Amino acid sequence: MNQNDTIAAISTPYGAGGLGVIRISGKNAIAVADKVFLAANRKKLSQADTHTLHYGHITDEDTAAVIDEVMAGVMRAPRTFTGEDVVEISAHGSMVGLRRILTRLIEAGARLAEAGEFTKRAFLNGRLDLAQAEAVIDIINAGNDAALQNAVAQLEGTLSREIRKIREPLLYVCAQFAAMVDYPDDEIAELSEEGLRRILHAAISDCETLLESAPSGRMIKEGVLCVIAGKPNAGKSSLLNALSHSERAIVTEIEGTTRDILEEFITINGVPIRLVDTAGLRDAKDAVEKIGVSRTRQYIDAAQLVLVMLDGSAHITEQDRDVLALTDGKKRILLLNKSDLEVKIKADAVQAMAPEAPIISVSAVSGEGIAGLKNAIASLCDQSGITPTSAALSNLRHAEAVAEALRSLQNALDTLDGGIPMDMCVIDVTGAVEALGLLTGETVSADIVDKIFAEFCVGK
């Protein structure tokens, strides 16, 4: 990937729409755009002021026929997303038209951008650090308001500032000991053991606080995995439909209608929920249902919350007891469904089998009890006080980097506590500095950078 090339790509999603945007970036971006864009006032984009918008047409090179009527935005380096000269062409959202414009730009000297290359250039040109660059894709993929706000806070540097606050005193420690080794005859203010301990304790505390935010950060980003489990015909699919306000799942009186996993992303009282309907748990007879039941067990193992569905209009069965046993030890809510019918299950008997779990009577068909269930779900899915403006680790790579830094810092402190000379701690302090640098990009390898940006779409 040649960073000196001028690149171009369609930056809006595939498909027809009111508008489509093509982005061009590089030292020749404006010159390339000038070759295909004919301004209504005949003025060249190269003569335009930065951050200005111009009306005109994209024309065919051979016939001079108009391809589309467009607006061209000119933005000169360095005050652009990539830090390079950028032109953004807003055309009508026809994929045929957009592809023809992109072809013209490539003929004029640009090349097709690779996945994530615009954001990668923003990182390489110092416009964004790596954590901020990763926030771009989190904003694009945000599935709820909390995830969006958390990603925007990360893009604005909230997490990066927290990492630098931890990292800078550790860099000072490394610099002090390096200077003492390199310039032994110079008078360099020596770092005391007390001062080193203070720096290590502060860094350890800050890393621990960040790691404590990781489960909540992941929850904000991905949603709480909430699995509906129960025997066949208990009303699981009806509950999925009721909570998602949709007809997502097929509901019939035939047992075993649901053979596979159905997922729906919803928000309950501000809490993002990844709601999963599963196959009824029983001794399956056919091969397809056996696979569905196996997947149900896998999802229950991974669930952060299980809604155990019991048919309240029937006496408790051995299948119900099996479901209760399977979900023992999980965070769960017991639902006595079909409250609109004659109730035959005794709540006291069920509570005795799961004393830690709240019991709620609901009717997935009539909606009775659904509001109370939503409140119970939100209450159990505690977000641990994470706010969109705080530094929350929502990225697994980030959490692993902070965990590695914490291990190195603890090793450094253990070395100090063992009476070993202070300069031996520097090896582990340096390890912590490098681990934290992985998060913001100061110490990251080219392979990791390539892997991160390969997850982006072309045009981003």
Side-chain angles (χ1 to χ4, degrees):
M1 190 185 297
N2 191 337
Q3 297 301 314
N4 293 318
D5 291 345
T6 294
I7 57 175
I10 300 170
S11 290
T12 40
Y14 181 87
L19 291 175
V21 176
I22 295 177
R23 179 185 282 171
I24 316 160
S25 181
K27 63 180 182 180
N28 296 320
I30 298 173
V32 166
D34 263 338
K35 293 180 182 179
V36 307
F37 176 75
L38 181 63
N41 61 5
R42 304 292 171 172
K43 186 177 180 180
K44 290 285 189 181
L45 295 177
S46 55
Q47 299 173 310
D49 293 334
T50 187
H51 293 78
T52 54
L53 198 59
H54 306 270
Y55 167 73
H57 299 86
I58 303 294
T59 58
D60 186 274
E61 182 179 22
D62 296 327
T63 65
V66 172
I67 295 174
D68 201 0
E69 180 182 40
V70 303
M71 299 293 291
V74 177
M75 291 160 279
R76 298 181 186 276
R79 293 191 301 117
T80 69
F81 176 69
T82 61
E84 304 170 332
D85 285 350
V86 171
V87 177
E88 289 187 352
I89 297 173
S90 296
H92 294 98
S94 158
M95 289 308 300
V96 174
L98 291 172
R99 286 199 191 101
R100 286 191 65 189
I101 295 171
L102 183 59
T103 299
R104 287 286 291 115
L105 291 169
I106 292 171
E107 291 171 350
R111 70 162 167 83
L112 184 63
E114 297 189 13
E117 190 171 359
F118 291 100
T119 310
K120 184 176 183 179
R121 288 190 175 197
F123 165 65
L124 294 175
N125 292 328
R127 280 279 291 112
L128 303 172
D129 65 30
L130 197 54
Q132 290 174 304
E134 288 171 291
V136 173
I137 198 167
D138 288 343
I139 290 173
I140 293 169
N141 294 331
N144 60 80
D145 288 341
L148 175 62
Q149 292 173 36
N150 195 62
V152 168
Q154 185 174 314
L155 179 62
E156 292 177 345
T158 302
L159 178 60
S160 301
R161 286 191 292 272
E162 184 67 23
I163 293 300
R164 291 191 184 99
K165 187 188 84 171
I166 301 171
R167 194 168 183 262
E168 285 175 4
L170 302 177
L171 279 171
Y172 168 75
V173 170
C174 295
Q176 282 290 100
F177 282 103
M180 290 167 59
V181 170
D182 292 341
Y183 307 102
D185 297 330
D186 292 356
E187 293 185 6
I188 298 172
E190 193 171 326
L191 181 65
S192 67
E193 182 175 325
E194 181 184 352
L196 178 57
R197 283 184 183 277
R198 186 167 58 250
I199 290 171
L200 291 176
H201 278 296
I204 288 171
S205 176
D206 289 340
C207 285
E208 288 174 340
T209 300
L210 272 179
L211 282 175
E212 286 170 4
S213 77
S216 297
R218 297 286 288 181
M219 187 187 78
I220 289 171
K221 181 177 179 180
E222 299 176 358
V224 176
L225 180 57
C226 179
V227 173
I228 308 171
K231 68 182 181 183
N233 257 23
K236 300 183 297 298
S237 297
S238 296
L239 181 64
L240 176 80
N241 291 344
L243 289 174
S244 64
H245 303 286
S246 70
E247 295 299 321
R248 179 76 170 82
I250 297 173
V251 178
T252 73
E253 294 180 359
I254 302 171
E255 288 191 355
T257 303
T258 302
R259 298 294 190 93
D260 206 349
I261 302 300
L262 289 177
E263 293 194 24
E264 192 74 7
F265 200 96
I266 62 174
T267 301
I268 295 178
N269 296 359
V271 179
I273 302 289
R274 189 176 148 212
L275 187 64
V276 178
D277 180 25
T278 60
L281 287 163
R282 64 174 178 179
D283 291 330
K285 303 301 181 185
D286 63 77
V288 175
E289 190 178 359
K290 284 181 179 179
I291 294 172
V293 171
S294 175
R295 289 182 179 176
T296 296
R297 294 176 180 275
Q298 292 171 7
Y299 269 79
I300 289 173
D301 285 342
Q304 293 159 296
L305 175 64
V306 181
L307 304 181
V308 179
M309 183 72 89
L310 304 172
D311 183 351
S313 68
H315 294 292
I316 197 162
T317 66
E318 197 61 37
Q319 289 176 335
D320 292 322
R321 291 188 177 90
D322 289 343
V323 174
L324 290 167
L326 182 64
T327 58
D328 188 27
K330 304 292 294 187
K331 186 181 289 186
R332 58 184 173 173
I333 299 174
L334 308 186
L335 302 179
L336 302 185
N337 191 31
K338 306 183 184 180
S339 61
D340 52 319
L341 303 177
E342 181 186 355
V343 177
K344 294 183 179 179
I345 286 185
K346 292 183 179 180
D348 292 345
V350 176
Q351 191 74 81
M353 289 184 281
E356 87 297 344
I359 297 179
I360 301 174
S361 293
V362 299
S363 171
V365 173
S366 71
E368 180 184 344
I370 296 299
L373 171 59
K374 288 182 177 180
N375 290 333
I377 291 172
S379 176
L380 286 175
C381 298
D382 175 26
Q383 294 190 7
S384 303
I386 295 299
T387 63
T389 55
S390 66
L393 296 178
S394 60
N395 184 304
L396 181 59
R397 189 184 75 83
H398 298 173
E400 288 175 347
V402 175
E404 179 60 32
L406 180 59
R407 284 191 290 270
S408 294
L409 291 168
Q410 194 60 61
N411 287 340
L413 190 60
D414 291 344
T415 298
L416 207 57
D417 291 341
I420 298 172
M422 284 198 303
D423 54 357
M424 297 301 294
C425 296
V426 178
I427 297 172
D428 288 313
V429 174
T430 301
V433 168
E434 291 179 352
L436 294 172
L438 289 174
L439 197 150
T440 53
E442 280 103 332
T443 59
V444 75
S445 69
D447 288 343
I448 293 176
V449 171
D450 289 342
K451 182 178 179 181
I452 288 169
F453 288 105
E455 297 177 4
F456 282 54
C457 300
V458 173
K460 303 299 184 287

